[in-house]
Amino acid sequence: MSPLQNDSESPTTSDASPANTEQPVADETAQAVAPLRLRYRIRFSKDGLLRWTSHRDLARLWERLLRRAQLSLSMTEGFHPKPRISFPSALALGVSGQREVVELDLSEDILAADLLEKLSSDRQPGLCLHSVQRIPQSAGKAKLRELQYTISLPDPELYESNVDLNNVQQAMDELMQQSSVTIERKKKQQTFSIKEQINALKLSDQGIQLHLAASDGATLKPSDVLDLIGCADWVSGGSKITRTDVVLQRELEPADPELFAQTNPSSPDDDTIGEV
């Protein structure tokens, strides 16, 4: 009986041995094929007819642009994976942007200049690329510090009356002297601190310069400020609101040319993606 028992035990021992050696190999393979995830920050402008595109449609435009460039996009996890594309601040409908920010994650390692060249070949009307920068994952997503705007004077051919700059300046001074203002949005009253919301409010012969502080909560909008100073009808009279800069809390200095690329200066009237 003992020889039969020894024969039955022998296969069991030999089968168990390979199973113990295969597990570490599988773990090493899983680590080796971990998907690459590299973040890029792009500065761009949005003007022309494209300024009448909603933020949601702008996000779709960027996704189509990246896919046409045949880039390997890093996708979110879950049942409905989506490309990792984010904007630190949405641009309101009808407002132009001169230095907007979009961040995207790619699953391929590509030089900043090569990425800029790929995107530049699309030439989407109204979209102009300014720079591409590789951002380390440790830096986290872009966080806002300030949003800067210019508001042009109404078009004399569309505006029914002449703009009295003295009255506008007086209204601006009175606004800045207030401690807080209350705005009604969606049938709810919201109160904003003037000192915490408005960093700068200046008037010139060209229009208004407005700097709004970023906040985690609700913030004032350029249209709110126009309403508060009695100029709510400027937009219907041909006034143009332009966001001149999106100022971030942390800007990384471009030190490595492989991680940063910039377009040549283009004409303000150029409504296409800039050329490298």
Side-chain angles (χ1 to χ4, degrees):
M1 295 295 294
S2 58
L4 293 176
Q5 293 174 353
N6 291 338
D7 290 342
S8 63
E9 293 174 356
S10 179
T12 304
T13 305
S14 61
D15 290 345
S17 179
N20 294 333
T21 58
E22 289 177 0
Q23 186 63 33
V25 175
D27 293 341
E28 293 177 0
T29 303
Q31 294 177 1
V33 297
L36 190 64
R37 183 177 173 184
L38 299 176
R39 178 168 298 159
Y40 294 84
R41 179 179 297 167
I42 300 175
R43 286 277 185 174
F44 68 97
S45 61
K46 173 189 175 186
D47 205 352
L49 294 178
L50 193 63
R51 68 190 178 101
W52 298 107
T53 301
S54 68
H55 178 69
R56 179 174 297 182
D57 288 337
L58 179 65
R60 292 171 180 167
L61 182 150
W62 268 102
E63 182 177 347
R64 293 194 299 268
L65 176 63
L66 296 170
R67 293 191 185 280
R68 285 195 296 267
Q70 297 182 346
L71 297 168
S72 298
L73 305 178
S74 176
M75 308 295 289
T76 60
E77 300 176 355
F79 293 103
H80 302 286
K82 298 180 180 179
R84 288 188 169 96
I85 304 174
S86 61
F87 300 81
S89 176
L91 194 61
L93 187 69
V95 178
S96 299
Q98 293 182 349
R99 276 178 46 84
E100 296 300 296
V101 176
V102 60
E103 290 190 340
L104 53 97
D105 289 3
L106 300 180
S107 58
E108 63 174 309
D109 189 352
I110 180 172
L111 298 179
D114 293 341
L115 177 57
L116 185 56
E117 184 177 0
K118 281 179 173 288
L119 297 177
S120 298
S121 63
D122 194 88
R123 302 190 66 82
Q124 177 68 37
L127 187 68
C128 180
L129 267 67
H130 301 309
S131 65
V132 172
Q133 185 176 14
R134 169 91 68 81
I135 303 296
Q137 290 290 339
S138 58
K141 292 185 177 181
K143 293 184 179 180
L144 293 175
R145 182 165 66 88
E146 184 180 79
L147 299 172
Q148 300 181 359
Y149 296 88
T150 59
I151 306 172
S152 67
L153 297 178
D155 188 337
E157 296 182 359
L158 300 176
Y159 202 58
E160 296 181 354
S161 59
N162 295 327
V163 176
D164 190 329
L165 295 181
N166 291 328
N167 289 341
V168 175
Q169 183 64 62
Q170 182 179 354
M172 291 169 53
D173 293 340
E174 293 176 356
L175 174 62
M176 296 303 295
Q177 291 174 3
Q178 298 184 46
S179 59
S180 63
V181 293
T182 300
I183 303 293
E184 183 176 349
R185 289 182 183 168
K186 298 180 180 180
K187 299 181 179 181
K188 293 183 179 180
Q189 301 289 330
Q190 291 183 313
T191 301
F192 301 93
S193 170
I194 294 297
K195 291 184 178 180
E196 293 178 359
Q197 292 282 319
I198 302 179
N199 292 340
L201 182 62
K202 300 178 181 179
L203 179 66
S204 69
D205 294 339
Q206 304 299 318
I208 296 174
Q209 181 180 3
L210 173 66
H211 294 181
L212 295 177
S215 174
D216 294 333
T219 58
L220 284 174
K221 303 176 183 178
S223 57
D224 296 328
V225 176
L226 286 176
D227 188 29
L228 290 169
I229 62 175
C231 300
D233 58 347
W234 276 23
V235 175
S236 60
S239 176
K240 183 180 179 181
I241 302 176
T242 302
R243 189 155 73 183
T244 57
D245 201 1
V246 175
V247 183
L248 304 178
Q249 291 185 7
R250 181 184 180 189
E251 293 280 4
L252 301 178
E253 293 296 331
D256 191 338
E258 294 187 353
L259 305 181
F260 179 81
Q262 186 175 353
T263 59
N264 293 326
S266 58
S267 169
D269 296 330
D270 186 7
D271 62 352
T272 58
I273 291 182
E275 295 180 353
V276 181

